[in-house]
Amino acid sequence: MIRTNNLQKLYTTEEVETIALDNVNVEINEKEFVAIMGPSGCGKSTLLNIFGLLDNPSGGEYHFLDQEVSKFSERQRASMRKANIGFVFQSFNLIDELTVYENVELPLLYLGTSANDRKKMVDEVLERMQIMHRKDHFPQQLSGGQQQRVAVSRAVVAKPKLILADEPTGNLDSANGEEVMNILTQLNEEGTTIVMVTHSPHDSEFAHRIIHLFDGHVVTENYKEKFHV
């Protein structure tokens, strides 16, 4: 599903050039659950943004779904992103002015899904995430755990092939964090590929493989026995 070849990302100002990613070579297969770990500033979120077609690399190749997408225009990236990728963020990134229902419905509006299909798909995911009883509430009326359930619902409502999660339990207590990790595990077991950035050794144990980054390099990859390509 994902393959990079000598991927690079540079950030340049008038005074300094920062190398965020330096010749990164990784491969992620369909139905894998991969955790990316490393100290702050090592390039984890930069790599996730490139995977999610939110940013272009400065050099190298990025292959997604058998297409070389590193030179795609913003319009091409947006089209591929909407059709294939869901995002879960540490800070939830819900829209305060929209209800729970409207937040979850948003990706389907972008895709041009019909009103009848939107209702069916949103209702289905809200029931599954056990948040239907809050569908008319606004994000600020919810607990952190409930907001992350809504964020996960929004990420999966369009049935994306890939979910990218950036510290998905970072703002949650241990009980709610465990629930979110169990939801991601269930989605993965049903066939969704998941790539998660995390600082948490506990959360990383849910993954099939852990990729360790340091100073923009992949330094180690640890496989778990429970997944076989």
Side-chain angles (χ1 to χ4, degrees), residues 184-224:
L184 292 176
T185 298
Q186 183 178 0
L187 291 166
N188 175 247
E189 288 171 350
E190 292 168 4
T192 306
T193 306
I194 296 178
V195 181
M196 172 182 68
V197 161
T198 183
H199 280 105
S200 166
H202 173 266
D203 289 358
S204 74
E205 287 300 310
F206 288 82
H208 305 138
R209 176 163 50 117
I210 304 172
I211 297 173
H212 292 271
L213 288 184
F214 187 77
D215 285 350
H217 296 276
V218 174
V219 288
T220 59
E221 291 191 54
N222 301 329
Y223 284 83
K224 308 289 185 62

Side-chain angles (χ1 to χ4, degrees), residues 15-229:
E15 299 175 355
V16 66
E17 182 177 85
T18 303
I19 301 175
L21 297 172
D22 190 7
N23 292 323
V24 170
N25 295 289
V26 297
E27 196 163 327
I28 295 170
N29 297 287
E30 287 190 15
K31 302 183 181 179
E32 262 197 291
F33 189 156
V34 176
I36 301 174
M37 301 189 74
S40 295
C42 72
K44 301 186 303 295
S45 292
T46 299
L47 185 59
L48 207 69
N49 285 340
I50 292 174
F51 284 169
L53 300 168
L54 296 171
D55 199 0
N56 269 346
S58 305
E61 297 177 351
Y62 172 35
H63 296 259
F64 178 61
L65 296 176
D66 296 323
Q67 292 190 64
E68 212 290 282
V69 298
S70 61
K71 303 298 191 295
F72 269 25
S73 68
E74 173 51 36
R75 177 173 290 186
Q76 289 173 305
R77 293 204 311 269
S79 177
M80 181 164 269
R81 187 168 61 237
K82 286 188 297 186
N84 297 290
I85 303 173
F87 297 88
V88 181
F89 301 97
Q90 176 178 349
S91 56
F92 316 135
N93 283 17
L94 301 174
I95 298 174
D96 290 341
E97 295 77 19
L98 299 182
T99 64
V100 164
Y101 188 97
E102 291 165 340
N103 266 281
V104 175
E105 184 185 33
L106 206 54
L108 301 177
L109 288 170
Y110 290 146
L111 287 170
T113 306
S114 71
N116 285 342
D117 286 346
R118 289 200 309 270
K119 185 178 188 312
K120 179 181 177 183
M121 293 166 77
V122 174
D123 285 351
E124 181 182 300
V125 77
L126 291 178
E127 289 282 6
R128 177 177 183 178
M129 298 296 171
Q130 299 176 359
I131 200 76
M132 176 64 90
H133 62 295
R134 297 286 194 178
K135 72 183 178 71
D136 295 322
H137 288 69
F138 292 91
Q140 297 308 312
Q141 297 175 297
L142 307 179
S143 69
Q146 290 170 333
Q147 288 187 60
Q148 195 61 301
R149 281 178 179 270
V150 177
V152 173
S153 300
R154 181 186 58 190
V156 305
V157 68
K159 298 180 171 58
K161 296 179 176 67
L162 172 67
I163 291 177
L164 299 176
D166 195 352
E167 299 283 1
T169 68
N171 284 337
L172 303 178
D173 59 35
S174 57
N176 281 306
E178 192 79 9
E179 277 194 22
V180 167
M181 291 310 305
N182 286 330
I183 289 169
L184 292 176
T185 298
Q186 183 178 0
L187 291 166
N188 175 247
E189 288 171 350
E190 292 168 4
T192 306
T193 306
I194 296 178
V195 181
M196 172 182 68
V197 161
T198 183
H199 280 105
S200 166
H202 173 266
D203 289 358
S204 74
E205 287 300 310
F206 288 82
H208 305 138
R209 176 163 50 117
I210 304 172
I211 297 173
H212 292 271
L213 288 184
F214 187 77
D215 285 350
H217 296 276
V218 174
V219 288
T220 59
E221 291 191 54
N222 301 329
Y223 284 83
K224 308 289 185 62
E225 290 183 6
K226 62 183 178 183
F227 182 82
H228 301 283
V229 178

